Structure formats: C-alpha cells, structure tokens
C-alpha cells in the first residue's frame, strides 16, 4: 500500500514542482520609462533586468532562462539582431515587425516610432510566450 502511495505521489510532486521547466510562469505587468514614452509589458517572472543609459538613449535588457528581451529608445545604436535577415515582416502606418530564425533560434524585432523592442535566442517551444510579450506591449506618451 505504501509503495502505491509513493508511486502516485512522486510523479504528482515532480509535475507540480517549480523546478519543472515546462511549468507556465506567471506574468507581471512591468512599466518602463524610456526617453519620451512609458511602455507597459506583461513579462514572465522571475525577471532579471539591466538598464543602460548612454548619451543618445536608453536600453533595458531582460534575461530569462529561455531567451532575451530588450527595449531601446534613442539614436546611434546598432545591435547584432539588426543585421539578421527577416523571413517575413508586417509593415503598418504605425509600426514595423520583422521576424526570423538565426542559428536555429527565433527572433523578432518590433519598431514603433523611435521605440525598438527585440527578442532573440528563443527556442521553438518558447516562441509563443515571447510573441505574447510582444502582443502585450502598450505605449503611452509621457510628455
């Protein structure tokens, strides 16, 4: 009887464990003040980020175990991902979105006015999570 209970409990505990890589992470609404706008994004937790100011702009970098996200507003900054060749794009009057695959990993670039949002180094199974982050972006003018 004890062996049956243990054989049932162990898979249950493992599947409920916070160490389970397939567990859905919760989201936290993050407000980011860039130079001219406030950007609100629903980000997975835990969040580890870095903020870098330079003369012409600001960069926020968010690092997760399955990918990297960063936001940029400013001038005179070129990132490696800007040289990636997109497999497809959507251009509207207000924004541009480019995406593709580089080194077997997915990436996306979203540009709205002077704001650039990127994710990259994302596996196929995590792509939807990062696309949902892009869909959650809300931009409001600060001035």
């Amino acid at each position: 009887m004890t062996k049956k209970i243990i054989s049932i409990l162990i898979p249950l505990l493992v599947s409920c464990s916070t160490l389970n890589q397939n567990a859905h992470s919760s989201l936290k609404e993050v407000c980011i003040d860039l130079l001219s706008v406030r950007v609100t994004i629903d980000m997975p937790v835990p969040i580890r980020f870095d903020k870098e100011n330079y003369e012409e702009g600001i960069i926020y970098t968010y690092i997760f175990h399955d990918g990297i996200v960063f936001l940029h507003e400013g001038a005179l900054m070129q990132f490696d991902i800007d040289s990636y060749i997109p497999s497809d794009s959507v251009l509207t009057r207000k924004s541009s979105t480019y995406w593709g695959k580089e080194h077997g990993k997915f990436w996306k670039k979203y540009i709205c006015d002077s704001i650039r949002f990127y994710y990259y180094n994302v596996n196929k199974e995590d792509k939807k999570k990062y696309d949902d982050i892009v869909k959650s972006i809300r931009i409001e003018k600060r001035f």
Side-chain angles (χ1 to χ4, degrees), residues 82-139:
D82 289 321
S83 67
Y84 292 177
I85 298 170
S87 60
D88 209 349
S89 62
V90 173
L91 307 173
T92 67
R93 233 174 16 125
K94 294 184 178 186
S95 66
S96 304
T97 307
Y98 306 90
W99 62 89
K101 228 174 151 178
E102 190 76 19
H103 308 295
K105 304 276 185 156
F106 290 90
W107 63 272
K108 185 174 273 190
K109 176 170 63 171
Y110 173 76
I111 303 169
C112 184
D113 295 328
S114 63
I115 312 306
R116 292 188 281 169
F117 174 90
Y118 304 84
Y119 75 67
Y120 69 100
N121 204 31
V122 173
N123 292 317
K124 182 179 181 177
E125 54 273 2
D126 300 312
K127 186 178 178 308
K128 183 188 178 325
K129 176 174 75 173
Y130 285 88
D131 286 338
D132 289 345
I133 293 171
V134 174
K135 291 175 190 173
S136 76
I137 295 173
R138 296 171 302 283
I139 301 172

Side-chain angles (χ1 to χ4, degrees), residues 4-143:
K4 286 183 180 180
I5 293 173
I6 291 173
S7 67
I8 292 172
L9 282 177
I10 289 176
L12 178 65
L13 292 173
V14 169
S15 68
C16 295
S17 170
T18 58
L19 299 175
N20 185 352
Q21 293 294 331
N22 296 325
H24 295 287
S25 59
S26 60
L27 298 175
K28 178 181 180 183
E29 185 176 273
V30 177
C31 292
I32 303 162
D33 289 327
L34 296 174
L35 299 174
S36 65
V37 298
R38 171 173 280 168
V39 179
T40 306
I41 305 175
D42 296 332
M43 291 280 209
V45 289
I47 297 173
R48 189 177 122 215
F49 78 95
D50 183 42
K51 175 184 174 186
E52 182 181 341
N53 291 314
Y54 66 100
E55 284 184 35
E56 302 287 333
I58 188 169
I59 304 166
Y60 278 84
T61 306
Y62 294 86
I63 301 168
F64 303 98
H65 73 279
D66 56 359
I68 299 170
V69 168
F70 64 97
L71 283 102
H72 171 260
E73 182 179 22
L76 303 175
M77 186 59 71
Q78 185 77 13
F79 303 102
D80 288 342
I81 194 170
D82 289 321
S83 67
Y84 292 177
I85 298 170
S87 60
D88 209 349
S89 62
V90 173
L91 307 173
T92 67
R93 233 174 16 125
K94 294 184 178 186
S95 66
S96 304
T97 307
Y98 306 90
W99 62 89
K101 228 174 151 178
E102 190 76 19
H103 308 295
K105 304 276 185 156
F106 290 90
W107 63 272
K108 185 174 273 190
K109 176 170 63 171
Y110 173 76
I111 303 169
C112 184
D113 295 328
S114 63
I115 312 306
R116 292 188 281 169
F117 174 90
Y118 304 84
Y119 75 67
Y120 69 100
N121 204 31
V122 173
N123 292 317
K124 182 179 181 177
E125 54 273 2
D126 300 312
K127 186 178 178 308
K128 183 188 178 325
K129 176 174 75 173
Y130 285 88
D131 286 338
D132 289 345
I133 293 171
V134 174
K135 291 175 190 173
S136 76
I137 295 173
R138 296 171 302 283
I139 301 172
E140 60 183 83
K141 300 285 183 195
R142 286 182 29 199
F143 304 107

